[in-house]
């Protein structure tokens, strides 16, 4: 399993992101631009909340009947002369694909963007074959490849962390001598890739949706490279997560519509194709067609609280609204699946040992849940992960764990709370400063600049209001207030 | 109309001014208030941290306490805490003792400005405040409670108050309950962006309907030694009130 993009501890990654001002600025800029585009595209469609209901229903239905739909899809691919391979693990998937590449004596492999192939680390496995070259043909993935296989930081915009000057430098190594103008650089990449395409003998694509009732593969892209990957090489391998299925073209149409608007704020992407093996009468397309359907931990979610994560259509909208992603970026998560969906999915696929930090790295603001086109309750699933780690696996053995359990006792006991209210002001005396503050009406009873234990996380960043004396607190005021009211009433 | 005050642990512990303003506004608008003394906390600190076994007792206590009066409504000064009460029926749906009570509690619980605007039908609380202010929209109030209108509508009618829009209104301030103490490294960056946004508006006063967000943002303002006045929306609606100006929805303006 290689969804991990870093061996560094979570906090180190967060610190590195904090110092990467360029990354933070480009993520913020992209989030802001996408906010406007996505909102406009959804408003233009109208009735967005009803569309979300429909999207959720379709995805939930598919997950509920997943084995049936997978069987139907597989039968239909085979009817058209294609082959289907079910891979339980990444290793099985990689071995199958290597076997095909060897059998076909493939020397020039073209790939279009696919998170699943990144998940199974397919590129490096194929490059280990003798006399084999491989080219990522999605522009962003191409840049990452040529930049010494840099890791992607976004599931839709893999090079979000790079600017045009950095890309120009990458291209210079390939003989590019032009400016840092994006259009000029894209033209260079197009020509470079086109030459490679013409002699490719094996094409590998991902899959946005697999259509169960006709065995077709639906690809949604903006560059057309996926279509070339499907059209030119005589052998094609599609790699898909096992949940990436829809019953028929009707449901694909609904989801493509929602995917394009959610992912890139477009009505529809430039290319939206449905294809499969070459059938008689056609002049292009693969004559040898394989579909690899991958589990790789996905079935861990089936029948559990985490099943809704399989509804995901990989639009990346949750990354684009996430205030945590805005600051720590893709590399901060240390998974090829970053952002809210990554914080939910990564522990499901690869366990809490590696990704247990991610569900805690959220303020639970629910921006992700609000934007998700298929209504995955992302922030609630983050809480569920926390529950598994704390209640079930008892993973926290620190003093904080004791404190949190204590907080549970204290906040369920009116008597203990009363004692806290009575003693809070005096108890905080040794910590309090009488120093002036620039803030009016928040620190009416003083403030604390350095608190111990759990609260130190608070005062590392901000001042803490000091509790009032018990006689000045809200409950005491209310008691006096009621008494005055009653006295007033009895005088009347 | 009888209203039980859901004071919230943050207001009980730290901000009497907020609770006091809320009670005064509600009573001015004709509510008869009570304060259930056994209430403690809505349970978010433990529940959202994953301590669900411990949280159940917190929920039971809060439900029993808040339903202990004969009030028609339960009103609190925090969108986030009220949103939590509204989630009780979902969390406790399989609990034979508490599922019904949880539903009863959720059905009559409202955040303060939501109650004033939607239930009491007030559009102008009669308040006056001579200031330039901006409003921080809390995530839970907006997204979990679903209240996007009430505070803006009420603030619009405060006399002499100039409201300036806050850029990136949609972004979280970085509070997130225990998140703010467990992940200070990330929380700091979020609250800094929020502080910068607020400063960019030129506002003298920051208003919100969630005392916890204000405690976070104001605490960072103080640490950065930047000037701001913090006001809960109840304090604004309780400021310099001229009761003759109080106006209800669908009521013609009298001159």
């Amino acid at each position: 399993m290689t969804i991990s993009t870093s061996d560094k501890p979570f906090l180190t990654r967060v610190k590195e992101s904090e110092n990467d001002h360029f990354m933070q600025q480009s993520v913020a800029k992209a989030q802001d631009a996408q906010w406007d585009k996505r909102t406009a595209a959804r408003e233009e469609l109208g009735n967005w909340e009803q569309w979300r209901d429909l999207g959720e229903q379709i995805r939930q239905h598919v997950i509920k009947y997943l084995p049936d739909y997978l069987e139907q899809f597989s039968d239909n691919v085979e009817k058209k002369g294609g082959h289907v391979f079910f891979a339980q693990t990444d290793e099985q998937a990689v071995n199958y694909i290597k076997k095909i590449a060897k059998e076909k004596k493939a020397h020039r492999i073209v790939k279009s963007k696919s998170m699943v192939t990144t998940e199974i680390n397919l590129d490096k496995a194929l490059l280990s074959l003798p006399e084999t070259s491989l080219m990522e043909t999605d522009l962003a993935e191409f840049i990452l490849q040529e930049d010494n296989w840099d890791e992607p930081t976004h599931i839709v915009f893999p090079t979000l962390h790079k600017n045009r000057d950095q890309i120009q430098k990458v291209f210079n190594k390939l003989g590019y001598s032009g400016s840092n103008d994006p259009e000029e650089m894209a033209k260079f990449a197009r020509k470079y890739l086109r030459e490679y395409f013409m002699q490719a003998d094996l094409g590998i694509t991902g899959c946005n949706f697999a259509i169960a009732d006709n065995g077709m593969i639906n690809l949604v892209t903006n560059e057309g490279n996926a279509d070339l990957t499907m059209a030119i090489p005589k052998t094609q391998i599609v790699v898909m997560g096992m949940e990436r299925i829809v019953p028929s073209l009707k449901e694909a149409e609904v989801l493509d519509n929602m995917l394009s608007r959610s992912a890139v704020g477009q009505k529809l992407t430039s290319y939206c194709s449905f294809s499969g093996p070459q059938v008689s009468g056609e002049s292009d397309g693969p004559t040898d067609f394989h579909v690899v359907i991958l589990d790789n931990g996905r079935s861990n979610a089936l029948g559990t609280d985490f099943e809704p994560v399989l509804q995901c259509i990989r639009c990346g909208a949750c990354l684009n609204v996430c205030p945590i992603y805005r600051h720590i970026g893709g590399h901060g998560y240390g998974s090829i699946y970053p952002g809210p969906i990554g914080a939910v999915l990564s522990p499901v696929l690869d366990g809490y040992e590696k990704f247990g930090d991610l569900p805690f790295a959220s303020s639970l603001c629910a921006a992700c849940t609000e934007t998700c086109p298929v209504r995955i309750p992302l922030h609630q699933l983050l809480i569920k992960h926390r529950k598994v780690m704390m209640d079930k696996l008892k993973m926290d053995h620190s003093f904080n764990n004791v404190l949190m359990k204590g907080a549970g006792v204290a906040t369920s006991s009116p008597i203990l709370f009363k004692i806290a209210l009575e003693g809070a002001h005096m108890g905080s005396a040794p910590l309090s400063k009488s120093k002036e503050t620039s803030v009016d009406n928040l620190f009416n009873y003083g403030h604390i600049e350095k608190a111990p234990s759990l609260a130190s996380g608070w005062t590392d960043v901000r001042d803490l209001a000091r509790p009032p004396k018990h006689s000045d607190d809200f409950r005491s005021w209310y008691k006096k207030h009621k008494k005055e009211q009653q006295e007033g009433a009895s005088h009347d | 109309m009888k209203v039980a005050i859901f004071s919230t642990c943050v207001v009980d512990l730290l901000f009497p001014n907020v609770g006091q303003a809320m009670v005064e506004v509600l009573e001015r608008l004709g509510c008869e208030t009570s304060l259930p003394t056994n209430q403690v906390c809505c349970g978010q600190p433990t529940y959202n941290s994953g301590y669900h076994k411990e949280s159940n007792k917190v929920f039971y206590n809060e439900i029993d306490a808040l339903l202990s009066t004969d009030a028609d409504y339960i009103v609190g000064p925090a969108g986030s805490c009220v949103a939590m009460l509204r989630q009780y029926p979902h969390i406790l749906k399989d609990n034979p003792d508490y599922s019904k009570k949880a539903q009863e509690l959720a059905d009559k619980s409202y955040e303060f400005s939501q109650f004033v605007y939607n239930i009491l039908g007030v559009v102008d609380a009669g308040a006056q405040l001579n200031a330039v202010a901006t409003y921080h929209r809390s995530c839970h109030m907006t997204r979990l409670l679903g209240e996007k209108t009430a505070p803006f509508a009420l603030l619009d009618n405060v006399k002499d108050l100039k409201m300036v829009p806050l850029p990136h209104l949609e972004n979280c301030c970085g509070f997130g309950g225990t998140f703010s103490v467990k992940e200070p490294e990330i929380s700091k960056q979020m609250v800094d962006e929020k502080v910068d946004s607020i400063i960019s508006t030129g506002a003298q006063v920051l208003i919100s309907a969630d005392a916890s967000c204000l405690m976070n943002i104001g605490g960072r303002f103080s640490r950065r030694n930047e000037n701001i006045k913090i006001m809960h929306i109840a304090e604004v609606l309780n400021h310099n009130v001229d009761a003759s100006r109080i106006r209800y929805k669908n009521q013609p303006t009298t001159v």
Side-chain angles (χ1 to χ4, degrees):
Chain A
M1 178 76 69
T2 48
I3 63 171
S4 174
T5 59
S6 171
D7 297 326
K8 292 174 189 162
F10 178 64
L11 256 185
T12 310
R13 300 198 302 264
V14 170
K15 288 273 173 215
E16 284 178 357
S17 304
E18 191 178 355
N19 294 326
D20 190 349
H21 299 294
F22 167 73
M23 179 279 291
Q24 289 194 329
Q25 274 167 18
S26 45
V27 170
K29 204 172 137 192
Q31 281 194 334
D32 296 347
Q34 279 301 320
W35 188 284
D36 294 339
K37 282 181 77 177
R38 184 180 57 249
T39 309
R42 288 171 172 182
E43 272 171 10
E44 180 195 49
L45 184 65
N47 303 315
W48 178 247
E49 293 305 314
Q50 281 95 329
W51 279 91
R52 291 178 77 206
D53 290 339
L54 189 58
E56 180 190 28
Q57 282 166 20
I58 292 171
R59 294 301 294 150
Q60 283 184 345
H61 171 84
V62 166
I63 303 304
K64 190 171 174 193
Y65 299 103
L66 193 56
D68 304 299
Y69 280 121
L70 282 171
E71 194 181 339
Q72 188 190 11
F73 170 72
S74 164
D75 288 349
N76 283 323
V77 171
E78 282 167 359
K79 254 184 236 164
K80 289 184 177 171
H83 309 276
V84 176
F85 179 74
F86 284 92
Q88 200 180 347
T89 63
D90 51 352
E91 198 187 348
Q92 287 171 4
V94 167
N95 287 341
Y96 179 81
I97 298 164
K98 273 164 88 173
K99 190 180 78 153
I100 305 290
K102 276 190 226 160
E103 276 172 18
K104 293 287 159 185
K105 300 191 170 59
H107 296 300
R108 283 170 84 101
I109 303 172
V110 278
K111 278 189 71 215
S112 66
K113 184 177 171 331
S114 148
M115 289 308 298
V116 174
T117 60
T118 310
E119 179 184 323
I120 63 176
N121 209 3
L122 182 61
D123 291 3
K124 283 181 188 155
L126 290 174
L127 283 170
S128 71
L129 296 175
E131 292 167 49
T132 303
S133 67
L134 177 146
M135 191 69 80
E136 287 285 355
T137 63
D138 172 82
L139 181 55
E141 294 285 354
F142 171 64
I143 294 164
L144 292 179
Q145 173 177 359
E146 296 305 334
D147 194 15
N148 198 25
W149 297 100
D150 190 14
E151 298 283 0
T153 55
H154 191 290
I155 61 174
V156 176
F157 314 110
T159 47
L160 195 56
H161 57 295
K162 287 197 191 302
N163 67 15
R164 54 168 81 180
D165 297 325
Q166 291 168 317
I167 294 167
Q168 185 188 18
K169 269 188 204 140
V170 173
F171 282 8
N172 284 345
K173 287 192 288 184
L174 303 173
Y176 176 68
S177 54
S179 73
N180 67 356
D181 173 56
E183 201 177 317
E184 195 184 347
M185 291 197 285
K187 275 188 182 148
F188 167 80
R190 184 174 187 267
K191 184 162 179 289
Y192 188 93
L193 290 168
R194 192 57 66 101
E195 283 162 12
Y196 192 90
F197 259 124
M198 298 317 287
Q199 292 169 50
D201 43 26
L202 172 61
I204 298 175
T205 70
C207 165
N208 288 98
F209 299 108
I211 320 293
D213 75 350
N214 68 12
M216 278 181 156
I217 300 297
N218 177 202
L219 284 170
V220 181
T221 71
N222 262 328
E223 295 170 20
N225 63 310
D227 300 79
L228 277 182
T229 306
M230 278 202 152
I232 296 174
K234 287 296 140 202
T235 304
Q236 197 206 341
I237 304 173
V238 177
V239 190
M240 59 179 267
M242 67 177 199
E243 79 287 9
R244 213 127 296 287
I245 206 150
V246 288
S248 72
L249 284 168
K250 219 167 58 186
E251 290 79 16
E253 189 196 342
V254 171
L255 293 175
D256 282 345
N257 203 330
M258 299 181 77
L259 174 62
S260 307
R261 288 170 204 269
S262 301
V264 282
Q266 290 171 268
K267 273 189 215 175
L268 200 58
T269 50
S270 310
Y271 300 87
C272 180
S273 29
F274 296 85
S275 65
Q278 193 179 119
V279 291
S280 66
E282 284 180 350
S283 58
D284 62 355
T287 48
D288 197 12
F289 182 79
H290 301 259
V291 182
V292 176
I293 301 176
L294 183 72
D295 179 337
N296 210 29
R298 284 165 177 74
S299 53
N300 294 343
L302 286 173
T304 74
D305 282 348
F306 301 104
E307 195 171 283
V309 79
L310 300 178
Q311 285 163 223
C312 178
I313 57 172
R314 301 288 189 272
C315 70
C318 61
L319 280 66
N320 298 340
V321 299
C322 178
I324 309 291
Y325 181 84
R326 188 178 183 89
H327 293 286
I328 73 173
H331 288 156
Y333 288 84
S335 165
I336 63 160
Y337 297 114
I341 186 65
V344 176
L345 182 63
S346 305
V348 169
L349 295 180
D350 206 9
Y352 294 106
E353 212 52 61
K354 232 184 237 167
F355 293 111
D357 287 317
L358 299 188
F360 289 99
S362 167
S363 64
L364 305 175
C365 79
C368 46
T369 303
E370 184 187 43
T371 202
C372 178
V374 292
R375 290 194 191 278
I376 302 172
L378 286 155
H379 79 283
Q380 287 175 18
L381 296 181
L382 292 173
I383 297 176
K384 294 212 152 116
H385 272 313
R386 296 178 184 186
K387 177 188 168 188
V388 173
M389 284 186 272
M390 294 301 127
D391 270 7
K392 211 170 135 197
L393 302 175
K394 315 217 179 291
M395 285 173 68
D396 190 347
H397 304 293
S398 70
F399 185 57
N400 285 351
N401 187 47
V402 180
L403 287 175
M404 284 310 297
K405 284 180 187 286
V409 176
T411 51
S412 62
S413 161
I415 297 165
L416 287 177
F417 190 62
K418 194 161 166 274
I419 294 170
L421 286 177
E422 284 166 4
H425 182 76
M426 279 311 290
S428 59
L431 307 168
S432 297
K433 299 253 176 173
S434 55
K435 180 181 88 65
E436 291 277 302
T437 158
S438 56
V439 174
D440 188 12
N441 196 38
L442 187 69
F443 304 105
N444 298 334
Y445 307 92
H447 71 275
I448 298 163
E449 287 182 3
K450 206 165 168 41
S453 188
L454 247 186
S456 66
W458 180 275
T459 50
D460 281 351
V461 175
R462 23 181 143 46
D463 293 339
L464 178 64
R466 189 184 177 196
K469 281 186 203 147
H470 181 45
S471 56
D472 291 332
D473 73 15
F474 173 60
R475 299 224 175 167
S476 300
W477 172 84
Y478 191 82
K479 227 184 252 172
K480 275 179 262 165
H481 168 71
K482 274 284 149 184
K483 209 172 146 201
E484 280 165 16
Q485 269 184 347
Q486 279 158 9
E487 283 167 5
S490 64
H491 285 299
D492 289 340
Chain B
M1 188 180 294
K2 289 182 179 172
V3 171
I5 300 297
F6 166 40
S7 49
T8 75
C9 60
V10 168
V11 164
D12 272 335
L13 271 167
L14 298 172
F15 304 116
N17 46 321
V18 172
Q20 186 178 336
M22 175 171 74
V23 169
E24 287 176 354
V25 170
L26 292 174
E27 291 183 348
R28 182 176 304 119
L29 296 171
C31 301
E32 187 188 318
T33 70
S34 62
L35 180 65
T37 48
N38 276 352
Q39 63 178 308
V40 178
C41 170
C42 67
Q44 281 194 82
T46 45
Y47 185 81
N48 287 349
S49 303
Y51 295 86
H52 289 199
K53 277 180 209 150
E54 285 78 4
S55 304
N56 278 336
K57 281 186 192 155
V58 186
F59 301 152
Y60 302 158
N61 175 72
E62 201 68 357
I63 292 170
D64 289 335
L66 291 175
L67 291 179
S68 66
T69 72
D70 62 346
D72 309 301
Y73 294 99
I74 292 158
V75 178
S80 178
C81 310
V82 172
M84 187 66 194
L85 301 187
R86 295 263 187 102
Q87 282 173 64
Y88 284 0
H90 175 70
I91 298 169
L92 298 170
K93 64 180 186 299
D94 299 321
N95 186 308
D97 298 324
Y98 279 91
S99 66
K100 258 182 101 174
K101 289 191 217 170
Q103 191 63 54
E104 188 192 340
L105 175 65
D107 289 346
K108 53 164 114 166
S109 296
Y110 289 87
E111 178 279 327
F112 165 75
S113 66
Q114 179 180 49
F115 180 75
V116 169
Y117 184 70
N118 296 327
I119 303 299
L120 298 180
V122 169
V123 283
D124 187 338
Q128 182 272 343
L129 179 67
N130 190 7
V132 178
T134 194
Y135 181 82
H136 166 67
R137 205 181 75 167
S138 97
C139 301
H140 285 184
M141 173 135 160
T142 313
R143 300 193 177 111
L144 305 188
L145 197 58
E147 184 55 65
K148 297 182 180 178
T149 318
F152 293 99
L154 290 166
L155 290 173
D156 265 352
N157 288 321
V158 173
K159 198 180 165 196
D160 301 329
L161 179 64
K162 185 175 178 239
M163 292 300 297
V164 283
L166 180 61
H168 294 301
L169 187 70
E170 68 282 356
N171 278 350
C172 173
C173 70
F175 173 61
T178 49
F179 168 79
S180 57
V181 293
K182 283 187 105 159
E183 311 276 349
E185 298 81 4
I186 307 173
S187 177
K188 183 181 100 192
Q189 300 180 56
M190 292 162 73
V191 70
D192 266 340
E193 193 182 358
K194 188 59 73 185
V195 167
D196 291 339
S197 296
I198 294 163
I199 291 173
S200 80
T201 66
Q204 310 151 311
V205 181
L206 173 68
I207 305 169
S208 179
D210 272 82
S212 309
C213 303
L214 290 172
M215 177 170 86
N216 176 45
I217 304 169
R220 186 64 186 162
F221 261 95
S222 175
R223 184 59 59 89
R224 283 175 49 173
N225 204 24
E226 298 277 3
N227 294 316
I228 195 84
K229 179 171 185 173
I230 301 291
M231 287 180 91
H232 187 274
I233 188 169
E235 293 179 280
V236 177
L237 300 186
N238 196 38
H239 195 267
N240 266 350
V241 175
D242 172 357
S244 70
R245 279 212 341 271
I246 294 174
R247 195 159 54 85
Y248 291 82
K249 270 180 211 168
N250 307 321
Q251 176 190 329
T253 319
T254 47
V255 184

